């Protein structure tokens, strides 16, 4: 399809493209119809068709008890429903039969339970059924069951326009106490700006005062508030229970089973030119992309009338970025917010428009989906759909990556998930989701994040430890990047998330960052001890401190935190030269940051203040490092590491003060020997002390620096 | 009634002994199979339905370094049996040599109160609470790995670390209800 085509403009070429499209649609419809006829012919003698005929024709008042014909037919329908699902006509017939109570209430429940659609649910049937609700003969429990069924198959209803037009009628059921939670959920899914009216808000508030602050009422009200903030003055809590808790697992698992079976069949036969099932064969329906077939039928009707200059444009109709730009002001969001995740255009729209209602709906859907899939599994589902879960989380991750921020619902989900996580399930996805979360206020960071993570960290394997440190490093990097982007706009107040209104002061942000750095410091200290200073873990920890040492210069955050001694000393004495070199580089960057902070403090009055303690720690580390590596003054009194004189003598190590200098340090010993051989090729006995003389020493340093140890070179430049 | 004591016997060389207590005996066996695959040292796995342990093997039984209570959240009984078994442990065990492992925590049919009760129990005894995915092979391996991390420390195989030290870092805390809406 040509990228610049404008479906809505008045020019000739454009109108031809419209007719092109409708023509192609017509041909598709025709082939569909032909296929349908073919199928009908084959099924003329099908017992299922006869059964359905029975249910559509059966007279009111026919007895149920002892009615073998009824029983046989219903069993047939049930069997078909659970194996292949019911076609849309069958759903319509059965729903009409059940809701009209033609044979009393007892078969109604049974029929509702087996209403598993194979493709779509016709909207007309649902509307008719809702109308039957109003007749008032159906018992409340059955009414609840029906609404639950509608919620479960909501995404499969072929269009929502008629349902929206009876919004008021559906709303009237809100007063029924048992139905209320489910009706609220349904209304949430149907609400548009036009549906928010004063009297409805008033009714909901009245209900709230009667029933208390119920989450379902709050959710609906918060959506109303987004659409019409002037009508809803109620304060809505920022962190709410995520989602409505209307779990319909029996239907859902039956639906999934049917869809899986159908999906594989479609793949094998592929008789139709394009089918709805194609879209959802590999993934679950609600995780699918924009559902083109369903929405396009509605679109075509509009296209024929050609009178929608002021009407809304569905997002599906747009195919290029230019089109998006031209129609930015009149975009209609799809019925399924989840479909936005699959389309980069939709994400672009979300990103620039900052549409509160779209984000709220998306967040709502996402929170619900995440909760259902990962925290509220049915029996044995955890293992069954791990492939789907993987794809879903990957999609979510790439979306968050695209938008460069996390959804609040995924954040809320993570906090819950962490508290029941085993540390291995979907580890890469969970850890990257975790690294995306926005800055957590320092008052809550410990409870929400650190406690569960600490328990996981210390009971898990080395690889988990490394993974978590990496994840926390990425989290810190993201926070610092946010800061460096938003702090430019305003000196003190940084709104960390462009969409949500979490404002944070600079000092609040600094507190959170400091908490995070200290937390990783604790993890690293004890982790190194428990894992015997494993060099892999060490490397991840050094990665983290490479971020920390540069917070001031690279990200403009006036904060300097030194690594704890339990990290510094193991690195300094580590037997691998790369770690020691990286430590030297980190100390060098600390020095650069601290000196530039100090010089800024002198120039501008209001520069930040670095505590003396930080300088003292830094100086102490530098002294230890230089004394130990360059000056051969290990265990000198007044340094960080002290041992009793007599104890050192007792150890019988000759010249113990030189044992960690650049010649004798276990990490560099091999270099010293190599250097010795090159310097004095003739000598048989190796005397490393001869390197210490001033001439060979400077050669030795140059030799070391030439081996790629730039950190050491920057830390103490060659004379 | 006999108490199981942590220090009444001498430890073996390069050996760690773990006792898995599970009333329903569903997860025990697969977990034990995964545990004995450790090669760096000998791992003896003992299985029990509940405590107290029978008196007859008292002599031959090695020193138990770590007691693990496996609780299946979908069954009320499993929690009750673990709770009843606790009193047959010497208080010395609660200095880092007991841990709880919970399965089915993400199941829809588990009431939240059930998980809260287990959390409260573990927190009141200062024990770690691990979650496990017993349905998948990966989950079982991971659960065994995590138990091994604790067991190594409890058996004294990690230099400079004691089980009490580790348990001070990993013990369960009762979180405030995250669900609770905070009205700001």
């Amino acid at each position: 399809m040509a990228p610049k085509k404008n479906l809505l403009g008045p020019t000739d070429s454009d109108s031809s493209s419209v007719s092109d499209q409708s023509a192609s649609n017509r041909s598709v419809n025709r082939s569909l119809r032909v296929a349908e006829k073919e199928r009908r012919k084959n099924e003329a003698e099908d017992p299922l068709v006869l059964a359905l005929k029975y249910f559509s024709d059966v007279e009111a008042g026919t007895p149920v008890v002892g009615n073998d014909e009824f029983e046989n037919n219903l069993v047939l329908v049930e069997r078909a429903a659970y194996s292949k699902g019911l076609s849309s006509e069958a759903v319509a017939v059965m729903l009409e039969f059940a809701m009209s109570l033609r044979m009393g209430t007892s078969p109604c429940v049974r029929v509702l339970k087996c209403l598993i659609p194979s493709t779509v649910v016709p909207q007309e049937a649902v509307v008719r059924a809702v109308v039957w609700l109003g007749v008032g003969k159906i018992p409340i429990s059955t009414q609840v069951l029906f609404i639950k069924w509608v919620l479960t198959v909501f995404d499969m209803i072929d269009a929502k326009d008629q349902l929206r037009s009876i919004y008021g009628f559906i709303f009237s059921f809100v007063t029924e106490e048992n139905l209320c939670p489910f009706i609220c959920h349904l209304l949430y899914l149907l609400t548009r700006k036009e549906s928010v009216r004063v009297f409805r808000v008033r009714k909901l508030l009245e209900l709230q005062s009667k029933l208390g602050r119920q989450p379902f009422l709050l959710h609906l009200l918060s959506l109303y508030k987004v659409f019409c903030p002037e009508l809803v003055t109620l304060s809505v809590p920022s962190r709410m229970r995520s989602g409505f808790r209307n779990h319909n697992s029996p239907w859902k698992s039956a639906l999934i089973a049917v869809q899986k079976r159908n999906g594989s069949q479609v793949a094998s036969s592929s008789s139709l030119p394009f089918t709805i099932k194609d879209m959802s064969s590999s993934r679950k329906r609600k995780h699918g992309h924009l559902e083109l077939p369903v929405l396009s039928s509605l679109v075509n009707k509009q296209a024929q009338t050609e009178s929608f200059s002021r009407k809304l444009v569905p997002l599906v109709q747009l195919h290029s970025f230019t089109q998006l730009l031209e129609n930015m002001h009149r975009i209609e969001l799809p019925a399924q917010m989840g479909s936005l995740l699959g389309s980069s255009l939709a994400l672009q729209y979300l990103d620039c428009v900052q549409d509160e209602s779209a984000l709220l709906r998306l967040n709502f859907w996402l929170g619900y989906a995440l909760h259902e899939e990962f925290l509220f599994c049915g029996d044995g589902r955890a293992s069954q759909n791990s492939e789907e879960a993987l794809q879903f989380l990957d999609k979510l991750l790439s979306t968050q990556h695209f938008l460069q921020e996390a959804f609040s619902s995924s954040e809320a989900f993570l906090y819950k998930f962490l508290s029941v996580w085993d540390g291995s399930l979907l580890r890469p996805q969970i850890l990257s989701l975790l690294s995306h979360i926005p800055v957590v206020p320092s008052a809550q960071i410990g409870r929400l994040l650190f406690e569960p993570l600490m328990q996981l960290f210390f009971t898990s394997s080395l690889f988990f430890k490394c993974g978590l440190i990496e994840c926390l490093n990425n989290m810190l990097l993201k926070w610092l990047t946010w800061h460096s982007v938003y702090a430019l706009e305003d000196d003190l107040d940084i709104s960390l998330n462009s969409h949500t209104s979490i404002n944070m002061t600079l000092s609040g942000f600094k507190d959170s960052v400091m908490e995070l750095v200290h937390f990783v410091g604790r993890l690293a200290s004890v982790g190194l001890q428990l894992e015997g200073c494993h060099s892999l873990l060490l490397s991840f920890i050094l990665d983290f401190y490479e971020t920390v040492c540069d917070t001031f210069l690279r990200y403009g955050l006036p904060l300097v935190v030194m690594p704890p001694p339990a990290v510094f000393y193991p690195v300094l004495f580590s037997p691998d030269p790369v770690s020691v070199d990286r430590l030297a580089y980190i100390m060098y960057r600390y020095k650069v940051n601290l000196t530039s902070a100090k010089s800024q403090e002198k120039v501008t009055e209001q520069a930040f203040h670095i505590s003396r303690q930080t300088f003292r720690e830094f100086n102490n580390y530098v002294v230890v490092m230089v004394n130990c590596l360059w000056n051969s003054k290990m265990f000198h009194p007044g340094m960080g590491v002290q041992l009793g004189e007599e104890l050192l003598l007792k150890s019988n190590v000759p010249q113990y003060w030189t044992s960690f200098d650049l010649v004798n340090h276990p990490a560099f010993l091999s270099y010293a020997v190599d250097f010795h051989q090159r310097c004095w090729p003739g000598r048989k006995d190796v005397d490393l002390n001869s390197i210490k003389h001033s001439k060979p020493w400077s050669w030795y340093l140059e030799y070391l620096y030439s081996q790629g140890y730039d950190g050491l070179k920057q830390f103490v430049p060659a004379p | 009634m006999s108490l199981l004591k942590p220090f009444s016997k001498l430890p073996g060389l390069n050996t760690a002994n773990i006792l898995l207590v599970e009333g329903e005996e569903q997860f025990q066996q697969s977990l034990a199979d995964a545990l004995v695959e450790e090669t760096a040292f000998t791992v003896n796995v003992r299985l029990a339905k509940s405590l107290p342990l029978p008196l007859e093997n008292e002599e031959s039984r090695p020193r138990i370094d770590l007691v693990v209570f496996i609780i299946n959240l979908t069954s009320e009984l499993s929690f009750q049996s673990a709770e009843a078994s606790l009193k047959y442990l010497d208080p010395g065990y609660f200095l880092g040599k007991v841990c709880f492992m919970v399965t089915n925590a993400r199941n829809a049919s588990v009431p939240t109160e059930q998980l809260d009760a287990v959390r409260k129990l573990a927190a009141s005894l200062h024990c770690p609470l691990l979650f496990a995915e017993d349905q998948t092979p990966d989950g079982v391996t991971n659960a065994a790995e995590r138990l091994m991390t604790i067991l190594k420390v409890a058996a004294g195989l990690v230099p400079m670390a004691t089980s009490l030290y580790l348990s001070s870092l990993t013990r369960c805390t009762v979180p405030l209800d995250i669900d609770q809406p905070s009205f700001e």
Side-chain angles (χ1 to χ4, degrees):
Chain A
M1 196 164 278
K4 276 205 162 181
K5 192 160 61 188
N6 183 351
L7 286 174
L8 309 154
T11 59
D12 283 352
S13 62
D14 290 334
S15 57
S16 76
S17 77
V18 170
S19 59
D20 269 1
Q21 210 197 30
S22 56
S24 72
N25 261 318
R26 237 174 276 140
S27 72
V28 165
N29 284 344
R30 197 177 307 133
S31 57
L32 274 173
R33 239 175 289 136
V34 170
E36 185 80 344
K37 240 179 221 163
E38 196 85 338
R39 207 163 52 82
R40 286 252 173 85
K41 220 181 275 169
N42 294 339
E43 282 173 359
E45 296 88 37
D46 189 341
L48 180 62
V49 175
L50 294 176
L52 287 174
K53 198 165 156 39
Y54 171 82
F55 284 112
S56 64
D57 295 346
V58 71
E59 286 197 13
T62 314
V64 181
V65 185
N67 188 340
D68 283 347
E69 196 184 3
F70 162 78
E71 185 63 32
N72 290 341
N73 284 326
L74 189 53
V75 166
L76 260 175
V77 173
E78 277 176 335
R79 203 177 297 148
Y82 286 118
S83 63
K84 287 188 305 212
L86 297 175
S87 66
S88 58
E89 305 94 70
V91 170
V93 168
M94 294 311 291
L95 192 60
E96 177 68 17
F97 166 77
M99 297 304 284
S100 61
L101 299 183
R102 240 177 279 162
M103 291 174 77
T105 52
S106 57
C108 177
V109 176
R110 204 170 141 192
V111 169
L112 274 178
K113 279 187 178 155
C114 76
L115 273 185
I116 294 145
S118 63
T119 54
V120 291
V121 177
Q123 180 182 221
E124 286 80 6
V126 180
V127 172
R128 278 190 71 91
V130 172
V131 174
W132 280 113
L133 273 190
V135 175
K137 274 194 248 160
I138 306 173
I140 281 294
S141 61
T142 316
Q143 290 186 20
V144 169
L145 193 71
F146 167 69
I147 300 290
K148 274 181 158 180
W149 175 79
V150 175
L151 288 172
T152 313
V153 300
F154 187 80
D155 291 345
M156 306 177 83
I157 300 176
D158 51 6
K160 314 301 194 285
D161 52 337
Q162 288 179 33
L163 271 174
R164 282 198 174 123
S165 53
I166 57 162
Y167 189 93
F169 185 71
I170 299 175
F171 190 90
S172 65
F173 290 104
V174 140
T175 45
E176 184 58 61
E177 207 164 309
N178 297 319
L179 274 179
C180 186
F182 308 100
I183 290 290
C184 281
H185 191 169
L186 185 58
L187 290 174
Y188 189 104
L189 295 172
L190 291 172
T191 301
R192 280 177 309 170
K193 195 171 163 64
E194 304 88 272
S195 0
V196 183
R197 297 289 169 75
V198 191
F199 65 91
R200 286 186 188 140
V201 175
R202 214 173 285 149
K203 188 89 219 165
L204 287 179
L205 288 175
E206 191 184 294
L207 272 174
Q208 202 187 31
S209 60
K210 209 170 83 187
L211 301 172
R213 289 179 83 106
Q214 298 294 341
F216 46 89
L217 289 173
L218 275 177
H219 268 296
L220 190 56
L221 278 168
S222 67
L223 184 67
Y224 278 20
K225 191 173 180 173
V226 165
F227 282 123
C228 299
E230 69 280 2
L231 292 184
V232 187
T233 47
L234 169 97
S235 79
V236 178
S238 60
R239 210 182 281 281
M240 273 196 298
R241 226 173 248 276
S242 59
F244 295 89
R245 301 200 168 191
N246 304 330
H247 308 285
N248 315 302
S249 23
W251 271 317
K252 224 162 195 184
S253 39
L255 253 179
I256 293 166
V258 164
Q259 280 174 342
K260 275 215 172 116
R261 235 169 280 147
N262 287 351
S264 56
Q265 274 175 13
V266 166
S268 60
S269 65
S270 70
S271 56
L272 296 174
F274 85 108
T275 61
I276 299 154
K277 283 176 243 159
D278 263 350
M279 304 294 295
S280 55
S281 58
S282 58
R283 293 141 137 265
K284 220 166 88 185
R285 143 197 60 91
K286 66 178 191 176
H287 298 163
H289 289 277
L290 293 166
E291 292 215 342
L292 272 161
V294 178
L295 288 171
S296 64
S297 64
L298 201 146
V299 168
N300 279 340
K301 261 180 238 158
Q302 286 188 343
Q304 279 155 14
T305 57
E306 287 281 344
S307 64
F308 53 97
S309 53
R310 312 196 102 233
K311 269 196 185 154
L312 295 169
V313 181
L315 213 42
V316 255
Q317 239 177 30
L318 307 175
H319 301 287
S320 74
F321 192 66
T322 14
Q323 286 177 351
L324 178 72
L325 285 183
E326 278 159 12
N327 301 299
M328 200 63 143
H329 53 290
R330 47 174 187 184
I331 278 179
E332 188 188 47
L333 292 165
Q336 291 171 253
M337 290 308 285
S339 60
L340 290 185
L341 290 190
S343 145
S344 63
L345 267 187
L347 291 179
Q348 231 116 22
Y349 171 74
L350 262 189
D351 199 31
C352 29
V353 170
Q354 312 208 339
D355 184 344
E356 277 271 335
S357 71
L359 266 169
L360 193 83
R361 283 180 59 198
L362 188 54
N363 260 320
F364 163 76
W365 171 82
L366 191 63
Y368 189 69
L370 285 169
H371 198 271
E372 284 265 290
E373 292 304 313
F374 300 104
L375 287 170
F376 226 79
C377 313
D379 281 320
R381 254 172 67 198
S383 52
Q384 199 182 86
N385 57 11
S386 61
E387 189 56 37
E388 268 172 28
L390 207 73
Q391 281 179 344
F392 177 62
L393 288 184
D394 282 338
K395 179 117 268 172
L396 178 60
L397 272 170
S398 68
T399 307
Q400 292 196 349
H401 192 73
F402 181 88
L403 294 175
Q404 302 205 341
E405 65 188 342
F407 294 106
S408 61
S409 54
S410 82
E411 188 192 349
F413 157 75
L414 275 174
Y415 296 145
K416 277 191 215 159
F417 189 74
L418 281 185
S419 66
V420 293
W421 192 27
D422 76 333
S424 110
L425 185 76
L426 300 166
R427 188 193 291 170
Q429 282 73 24
I430 295 294
L431 285 183
S432 11
L433 273 181
L434 192 61
S435 67
H436 274 91
I437 62 168
V439 183
V440 189
S442 59
Q444 287 156 6
I445 197 167
R447 180 171 59 83
L448 292 177
L449 217 54
F450 295 167
E451 275 177 21
L453 286 182
M454 191 147 102
Q455 287 163 20
L456 281 164
F457 182 84
F458 289 116
T459 54
S460 294
S461 65
L462 174 72
F463 298 105
F464 181 85
K465 289 186 171 106
C466 295
L468 186 61
I469 299 278
E470 191 195 17
C471 154
L472 294 173
N473 185 22
N474 288 336
M475 190 192 286
L476 180 66
L477 275 172
K478 293 228 166 65
W479 291 9
L480 291 173
T481 314
W482 274 322
H483 166 78
S484 63
V485 170
Y486 290 105
L488 292 177
E489 293 165 8
D490 189 64
D491 244 353
L492 269 176
D493 254 359
I494 36 173
S495 99
L496 288 160
N497 198 322
S498 52
H499 289 135
T500 54
S501 49
I502 307 166
N503 280 309
M504 203 174 225
T505 61
L506 183 62
S507 71
F509 176 72
K510 259 169 77 175
D511 285 347
S512 294
V513 171
M514 200 140 77
E515 289 275 341
L516 178 64
V517 175
H518 284 313
F519 173 65
V520 177
R522 281 202 301 280
L523 291 188
S525 306
V526 185
L528 281 175
Q529 185 194 348
L530 290 176
E531 298 291 342
C533 297
H534 200 284
S535 52
L536 189 64
L537 183 59
L538 207 58
S539 148
F540 282 96
I541 291 168
L542 287 173
D543 280 344
F544 181 77
Y545 279 101
E546 273 178 18
T547 311
V548 172
C549 68
D550 248 351
T551 45
F552 179 65
L553 281 182
R554 199 175 290 170
Y555 302 99
L557 181 70
L559 180 78
V560 179
V561 186
M562 299 303 295
V567 171
F568 177 82
Y569 287 104
V571 186
L572 183 60
F573 300 136
S574 105
D576 107 74
V578 177
S579 302
V580 183
D581 179 65
R582 290 181 72 187
L583 180 69
Y585 171 75
I586 289 170
M587 293 309 290
Y588 160 74
R589 288 307 301 179
Y590 270 122
K591 192 182 89 185
V592 175
N593 274 267
L594 282 171
T595 45
S596 95
K598 193 110 189 177
S599 62
Q600 261 195 25
E601 201 170 357
K602 276 181 193 149
V603 176
T604 54
E605 292 281 300
Q606 44 119 357
F608 74 102
H609 177 72
I610 295 177
S611 82
R612 284 165 158 271
Q613 182 61 32
T614 311
F615 281 109
R616 207 175 298 142
E617 277 175 41
F618 171 76
N619 287 335
N620 183 36
Y621 283 156
V622 171
V623 169
V624 169
M625 219 165 149
V626 172
N627 269 346
C628 164
L629 293 175
W630 277 270
N631 295 346
S632 316
K633 283 188 195 159
M634 191 65 207
F635 307 116
H636 217 67
M639 276 177 36
V641 186
Q642 284 191 16
L643 280 177
E645 186 78 34
E646 60 281 9
L647 205 65
L648 286 166
L649 287 175
K650 233 183 185 169
S651 72
N652 280 335
V653 178
Q655 295 183 316
Y656 57 80
W657 53 89
T658 66
S659 44
F660 283 102
D661 60 16
L662 282 176
V663 174
N664 292 307
H665 192 293
F668 297 102
L669 192 63
S670 59
Y671 288 99
V673 174
D674 185 42
F675 176 78
H676 189 276
Q677 272 169 356
R678 288 182 190 205
C679 202
W680 300 284
R683 272 202 220 172
K684 280 270 158 60
D685 48 337
V686 178
D687 177 22
L688 289 181
N689 274 332
S690 55
I691 301 177
K692 297 274 181 60
H693 301 298
S694 69
K695 255 262 156 70
W697 176 251
S698 60
W699 292 340
Y700 177 61
L701 287 185
E702 243 165 70
Y703 161 75
L704 264 189
Y705 296 166
S706 72
Q707 300 293 310
Y709 294 114
D710 292 337
L712 293 172
K713 189 175 170 182
Q714 282 166 321
F715 185 60
V716 177
Chain B
M1 157 168 138
S2 73
L3 280 182
L4 192 62
K5 293 199 168 84
F7 301 116
S8 59
K9 285 174 184 160
L10 290 173
L13 186 65
N14 272 338
T15 319
N17 305 302
I18 185 170
L19 175 66
L20 306 179
V21 185
E22 185 188 21
E24 292 166 337
E25 300 180 299
Q26 288 169 335
F27 186 31
Q28 244 177 1
Q29 194 57 50
S30 55
L31 194 58
D33 291 341
L35 277 168
V36 292
E37 275 172 28
E38 171 69 44
T39 48
F41 51 93
T42 321
V43 181
N44 291 321
V45 185
R46 300 256 154 175
L47 306 179
K49 271 184 90 164
S50 62
L51 298 182
L53 296 175
L55 276 172
E56 58 217 59
N57 301 329
E58 186 73 49
E59 284 305 307
S60 61
R61 185 178 304 128
R63 177 174 116 163
I64 303 287
D65 297 305
L66 182 67
V67 182
V68 183
F69 291 98
I70 299 168
I71 298 173
N72 178 359
L73 274 193
T74 47
S75 111
E76 177 84 23
L77 267 178
S78 138
F79 174 66
Q80 283 166 358
S81 111
E83 209 178 16
S85 298
L86 279 169
K87 55 174 177 280
Y88 298 101
L89 282 179
D90 186 84
Y93 267 108
F94 295 99
L95 303 175
K97 287 172 182 286
V98 176
C99 86
F100 292 91
M101 180 161 257
V102 161
T103 60
N104 283 323
R106 302 185 300 121
N107 199 309
S109 54
V110 174
T112 44
E113 299 77 34
Q114 186 77 11
L115 181 56
D116 288 347
V118 178
R119 250 185 228 287
K120 275 195 194 117
L121 179 69
S124 68
L125 298 168
H126 297 253
C127 295
L129 176 63
L130 308 186
F131 292 84
E133 304 289 329
D134 59 340
Q135 316 275 330
T136 57
D138 283 347
V140 176
T141 324
N142 183 65
E145 241 173 55
R146 292 181 72 191
L147 283 182
M148 200 58 90
T149 312
I150 303 177
L151 178 63
K152 267 199 279 188
V153 176
L157 297 168
V158 178
M160 310 288 288
T162 64
S163 52
L164 184 58
Y165 180 46
L166 186 66
S167 84
S168 72
L169 299 165
T170 56
R171 69 185 178 207
C172 176
T173 42
V174 181
L176 298 163
D177 191 6
I178 303 173
D179 275 351
Q180 210 65 55
S182 57
F183 299 101
E184 291 125 58

